[in-house]
Amino acid sequence: MSQKIDPFALEIIWTRLISIVDEAATTFVRTAFSSLAREANDYAVVITDAVGQAVAQSSVSIPSFTGTVPATIRYFLKRFPAETLQEGDVLITNDPWMGTGHVHDITIATPVFWRGTLVAFAGITSHMPDIGGRLRSSGIREIYEEGLQIPMLKLVEAGRTNSVIVDFIAQNVRVPEATMGDVWGEVAACHKVSERLHELLDETEVAFPDLSREIRARSEAAMREAIRQLPSGEYRYDIEHDGFEDKILIRACIKVAEESMHIDFTGTSPQLPRAVNVVPNYTSAYTIYGIKAMICPDIPNNQGSSVPVSIFAPEGCILNPRYPAPGGARGMIGHLLPVAVMGALSAAAPDRVWAPGSGNSALTIAGQHHGRPYAGVYFWNAGQGASQKRDGLSVISFPSNLSNTAIEQMEASVPIRVRHREIRRGSGGAGAHRGGDGLKFAFRFIGDSPAVCSFIMTRMKIAPPGLQGGEAGLPGRVTIDGKTTNIVEHIVLQPGSEVVIETAGGGGFGAPA
């Protein structure tokens, strides 16, 4: 099988690969400490080949991470060339420019050797329960405020843990047990990938480089064929975001030429001294995801899917910032990239696009209760835009796929008491198909001392617009003790504070009847 892989064998092996990454994902969820893994699905497990080209990903992976993990592995290889790696090595970083775009995600990767040869990498990224610094907020002005930066290091070298790295991380975070618990859960997931991949290779004798090449070639061919079905031409779309002192503009120009596509973000707003900047890894991940979700959703996702697509964002713009730009809330802008892609291509393929909606929102909260420290990150979702075929879904995380954190989990881990959580009826925009509705969520803070919290929410000023004549949804809103609150900066919650969050509704599609 070193030269040609039979299609029937390939399908069986492919199914095995998916079962491997899914079992590794289950390993992580069952060993992780935080609700971010167990409840929110804020992680991804990926297998790459020996040079960092993505081959397979776990079924519940979030789209941004499946695009960034292979890029991080390629950066690891620049820092630790293949010939210097050994069995038992565990690589670690949260460098935003080499990882996911903010310091709150830690990426772990392990080399997989088979019969003495490096054949693959297991990689995983997950959002940590805490990384020190100030709580994640869109108002932060430089990366040094955001928490501990971990350069590209070997957490474990040839099976021996570097206790200095462990101690350094633990000393800089509010909840060291939970944070390091999640890190070791990531390591366990990578070890599970290696264990199961060894079994697969031993049973099949397949040459992994050939397997990777075949899988990627098929996805690339399918993606090129899907692009070929679009009318060649140049398509443009502008979308605005709330911004701070001024609005933020994402300007997309897409050139479709036969079987390839180029996306140019020239004209997009410059980077800001706020934590909404999007590093190239994240820009690429969500741009390509938007294209693939639109024109080629059913073909396995791997490095081949991205080959026909090229992306340009000028250095210094919000989609390609210069260090030390902060990026803790980069999803607020990054989640607009699939929207920009679909808006631009709506003229070429109106039956395949969704109107803009609102991405997931988050509450980060930290303090002490009964003398014990706590820190948590909790998600709730909003309305999806409608399409030509159906209404938008309500209370969903799109383009990510994070789950609404369970009420029981929030109440068990931080001192809040949930008043209600319900669909915000009527918040979706009208149209031939209506936008999905947002969420209304209220809680009372019951801690015995004040807590610091921050909100990551989008579409608070500029509602998600409709598409093809559809109407905009309702914007989001936060009130604390009955007063509408500016959520850009950190907020101190006093014992007894009543908080009400309303997320935005999605835009409608087509003119209302």
Side-chain angles (χ1 to χ4, degrees):
M1 297 183 73
S2 62
Q3 299 299 320
K4 182 67 175 176
I5 301 177
D6 177 86
F8 296 100
L10 180 64
E11 176 63 21
I12 294 170
I13 294 171
W14 171 254
T15 303
R16 286 280 297 276
L17 284 175
I18 296 302
S19 71
I20 288 171
V21 283
D22 281 350
E23 184 179 357
T26 300
T27 298
F28 174 59
V29 169
R30 290 183 175 177
T31 55
F33 281 47
S34 77
S35 64
L36 289 157
R38 292 183 284 106
E39 301 286 342
N41 304 317
D42 198 356
Y43 68 91
V45 182
V46 179
I47 296 175
T48 78
D49 62 16
V51 295
Q53 298 181 102
V55 178
Q57 65 194 45
S58 56
S59 300
V60 295
S61 296
I62 64 174
S64 59
F65 290 170
T66 60
T68 62
V69 170
T72 303
I73 290 173
R74 294 192 291 273
Y75 280 118
F76 275 136
L77 282 166
K78 291 181 179 179
R79 174 66 179 83
F80 303 106
E83 62 272 15
T84 69
L85 296 174
Q86 307 172 70
E87 292 197 45
D89 284 351
V90 176
L91 311 178
I92 185 173
T93 192
N94 72 339
D95 184 312
W97 269 259
M98 298 180 186
T100 72
H102 69 187
V103 297
H104 309 84
D105 301 324
I106 289 181
T107 300
I108 294 287
T110 60
V112 178
F113 291 85
W114 186 57
R115 298 179 182 174
T117 300
L118 176 65
V119 295
F121 282 91
I124 181 172
T125 285
S126 182
H127 191 145
M128 292 293 115
D130 187 67
I131 201 65
R134 302 184 72 194
L135 297 187
R136 189 169 70 113
S137 163
S138 62
I140 285 176
R141 292 183 175 273
E142 60 177 2
I143 194 174
Y144 306 111
E145 299 178 60
E146 295 190 294
L148 178 66
Q149 297 180 59
I150 305 170
M152 312 202 92
L153 300 170
K154 285 188 178 181
L155 175 63
V156 181
E157 186 164 9
R160 301 188 65 177
T161 299
N162 187 329
S163 61
V164 173
I165 297 174
V166 174
D167 292 344
F168 203 88
I169 295 173
Q171 183 71 25
N172 280 277
V173 299
R174 296 173 179 85
V175 283
E177 183 180 62
T179 298
M180 285 309 304
D182 280 13
V183 169
W184 291 122
E186 290 186 307
V187 175
C190 288
H191 286 166
K192 182 59 67 175
V193 169
S194 181
E195 175 188 342
R196 294 293 187 242
L197 194 55
H198 273 95
E199 294 174 358
L200 171 64
L201 298 179
D202 286 339
E203 290 175 24
T204 64
E205 295 286 332
V206 66
F208 197 79
D210 292 343
L211 176 63
S212 170
R213 190 178 304 112
E214 183 73 13
I215 289 171
R216 289 184 289 106
R218 287 171 178 261
S219 289
E220 179 184 345
M223 192 69 162
R224 290 191 184 279
E225 178 58 29
I227 294 173
R228 194 179 294 115
Q229 301 303 312
L230 298 174
S232 292
E234 188 171 296
Y235 305 92
R236 298 176 180 272
Y237 188 71
D238 291 354
I239 189 163
E240 292 181 330
H241 187 267
D242 299 342
F244 299 91
E245 291 77 14
D246 298 302
K247 298 175 183 177
I248 296 171
L249 172 68
I250 303 297
R251 173 162 288 164
C253 175
I254 301 179
K255 294 180 180 179
V256 178
E258 296 183 354
E259 59 179 26
S260 65
M261 186 181 294
H262 178 69
I263 300 92
D264 188 339
F265 290 108
T266 299
T268 291
S269 293
Q271 71 181 72
L272 293 174
R274 300 283 190 168
V276 292
N277 301 288
V278 184
V279 302
N281 281 356
Y282 199 87
T283 296
S284 174
Y286 264 130
T287 301
I288 292 171
Y289 169 74
I291 294 167
K292 189 176 186 303
M294 175 184 168
I295 68 171
C296 196
D298 299 325
I299 300 301
N301 189 41
N302 52 65
Q303 208 72 41
S305 303
S306 65
V307 173
V309 181
S310 58
I311 300 166
F312 174 76
E315 185 178 11
C317 81
I318 202 168
L319 299 179
N320 185 9
R322 300 183 182 94
Y323 188 89
R330 85 299 196 219
M332 294 174 68
I333 302 302
H335 286 177
L336 297 178
L337 296 175
V339 171
V341 165
M342 291 185 183
L345 294 175
S346 62
D351 60 326
R352 300 186 185 183
V353 301
W354 295 270
S358 182
N360 64 277
S361 302
L363 165 71
T364 304
I365 184 170
Q368 290 203 356
H369 187 56
H370 298 320
R372 293 176 60 86
Y374 61 85
V377 183
Y378 307 101
F379 294 106
W380 52 84
N381 297 326
Q384 182 191 33
S387 72
Q388 190 182 81
K389 299 178 180 178
R390 62 167 174 80
D391 294 346
L393 299 177
S394 297
V395 194
I396 191 172
S397 177
F398 181 83
S400 188
N401 62 342
L402 298 174
S403 296
N404 292 290
T405 306
I407 290 172
E408 296 83 356
Q409 174 62 40
M410 287 186 281
E411 292 185 334
S413 55
V414 297
I416 67 173
R417 188 70 67 237
V418 175
R419 296 294 199 190
H420 62 259
R421 185 165 73 179
E422 61 190 35
I423 295 175
R424 188 187 178 196
R425 301 291 181 185
S427 56
H433 287 285
R434 290 192 61 89
D437 289 328
L439 179 75
K440 187 173 182 180
F441 175 65
F443 68 87
R444 183 170 186 259
F445 177 63
I446 60 172
D448 59 9
S449 60
V452 178
C453 75
S454 63
F455 297 88
I456 303 292
M457 291 182 67
T458 61
R459 300 301 191 180
M460 304 294 284
K461 299 176 184 176
I462 301 175
L467 203 59
Q468 302 284 347
E471 297 181 3
L474 293 181
R477 181 174 63 170
V478 173
T479 62
I480 298 179
D481 295 327
K483 297 179 180 179
T484 300
T485 304
N486 180 359
I487 61 170
V488 170
E489 305 296 343
H490 292 85
I491 295 167
V492 176
L493 290 181
Q494 300 294 337
S497 291
E498 299 279 353
V499 181
V500 180
I501 299 112
E502 294 175 289
T503 62
F509 192 101

